Amino acid sequence: MNSYKITTLNDFVTLRQKDFPYAKGELSSLLHHIGTAAKIVNKKINKAGLVDIIGRSGEVNIQGENQQKLDVFADKVFINALLASGECCGVATEENQNEIVFTDKFARKGKYVVCMDPLDGSSNIDYNVSVGSIFSIYRRITPRGEKVTNEDFIQEGSKQVAAGYVIYGSSTMLVYTTGNGVNGFTLDPSIGEFCLSHPCMRTPDDGRIYSINEGNYIYFPSGIKKYIKYCQEKDEDTGRPYTSRYIGSLVSDFHRNLLMGGVFLYPQNENAPEGKLRLVYECNPIALIAEQSGGAASNGQERILNIIPGSLHQRSPFYAGSKNMIKKIEEFIA
Ligand code: AHM
Ligand code: MG
C-alpha cells in the first residue's frame, strides 16, 4: 500500500459519483460545499473560548461580529455555502421558522433541497463539549426552475439521497452516506482537508452502551423505565449490566455508539410529549446513517425513515443504534 496516498473528501465524492449512472456532479458539488462550510464553522468553534478575551481587548471585534452566537453563525455559513453551490434551491434549518427559498435564477434550477441543524448541542459550547452539524439532502418534488415549497422539505426520510453529520470533537470528522454505506473523514488541520479515515463504517449488531438522559426517568413511559432496568440487570450471556454514557450532544453520543455498539434514546416524556428531537433535520439524517452502517432507528413503534412529516419542526421520540438493541427497545415499548 502506498502510505503517502491520502483520499480527501472531494476526491472521494468525485470517485463515488460513478456509483450513480445518471449523476452529473451536482450532489458532489453540494457535498463539497457542505465540507467547506464545516471547516469555517470548525475554525470558529475552536476559538469559542477566546471570543470574550478578544472582545475585551477591543483590538478585534469592533464590529461585534465575534459576539454572534455560534449557532446563528453556523446557520449563516451553511446557508451561504449551499446557495453558492448553485445545486441547492432551498434550505430548512432549526434556526428558521420557515424554509428558506433561494430565488436567484441559478439556484432555482437546483435539483436538491437541504434540511439541517447547523449546530446541534450548542448549549454545550460554553463548557468545551463536542457539538455537531447534521444535514439531510432530498431531491426536490417541485419542477426545477420554480420556487421550492414546503412539500419539498417534508418528505419521508427514506427519500433522502444523502445525509451526514460533522462532529467537532477532539478531532473534527465528517461522516456521510449516499445510501451506499457510510464513510468517515477526519479533518487534517495542517492541510485543511477532510481525509478518509473511516471507510465503510459498520456498527456492531449488539452493543453494551445505552445513552439516555436518566434525569428524566420519572417522566418516561413505563416501557422505557423497564428497558433501563433491563440494561442495569446482571446477565453474563448478554454482557449486562451495560455501560451508561450520555454527553447530551446527539452527534457525539450517536457517533461513539456507532463505533462501539450501543443505543441512543430520547423518548417522549411528560414534559415533552412528542420527545425533543426534530424528525426532519435531526432524526432522519441520523437514522439513515444508522441504517446504512448496519444499525436501526425507530420512534419506538416504527422505522423513523417511514414517517411522513407533517411539518418542518415536528418532534419525534428517537431510538438509534445497534439493531438488536433497537429491537429490544421496541419489544419493551410494545
Ligand atoms: P438542540 O437542538 O437545542 O441543540 O438540542 C438537541 C440536543 C441533542 O444534541 C441532545 O441529544 C439533546 O438535545 C439533549 O437534550 P437533554 O439536555 O434534554 O438531555
Ligand atoms: Mg438540534
Side-chain angles (χ1 to χ4, degrees), residues 209-240:
I209 299 174
Y210 70 105
S211 306
I212 185 168
N213 186 343
E214 273 185 77
N216 293 329
Y217 184 85
I218 55 160
Y219 303 119
F220 288 149
S222 68
I224 295 299
K225 285 182 176 162
K226 286 180 191 146
Y227 179 73
I228 292 173
K229 289 294 160 218
Y230 165 86
C231 292
Q232 297 168 343
E233 276 162 18
K234 191 164 162 40
D235 177 58
E236 271 157 27
D237 290 345
T238 51
R240 286 178 289 141

Side-chain angles (χ1 to χ4, degrees), residues 203-207 209 211 250 253-265 286-287 289-298 304 318-327 329:
T203 198
D205 290 348
D206 294 287
I209 299 174
S211 306
L250 170 62
D253 279 310
F254 174 80
H255 182 73
R256 178 203 49 240
N257 294 351
L258 167 62
L259 295 176
M260 297 187 65
V263 74
F264 174 89
L265 306 91
I286 297 288
I289 295 276
E291 287 197 4
Q292 284 294 316
S293 60
S298 163
I304 286 286
F318 189 54
Y319 309 98
S322 294
K323 74 174 173 207
N324 292 339
M325 295 178 89
I326 296 293
K327 207 164 144 231
I329 290 170

Side-chain angles (χ1 to χ4, degrees), residues 38-60:
K39 286 189 244 178
I40 297 170
V41 171
N42 176 62
K43 204 79 199 144
K44 190 82 164 182
I45 288 172
N46 285 165
K47 286 198 290 193
L50 291 169
V51 170
D52 277 351
I53 300 169
I54 296 166
R56 251 183 265 138
S57 76
E59 287 166 18
V60 192

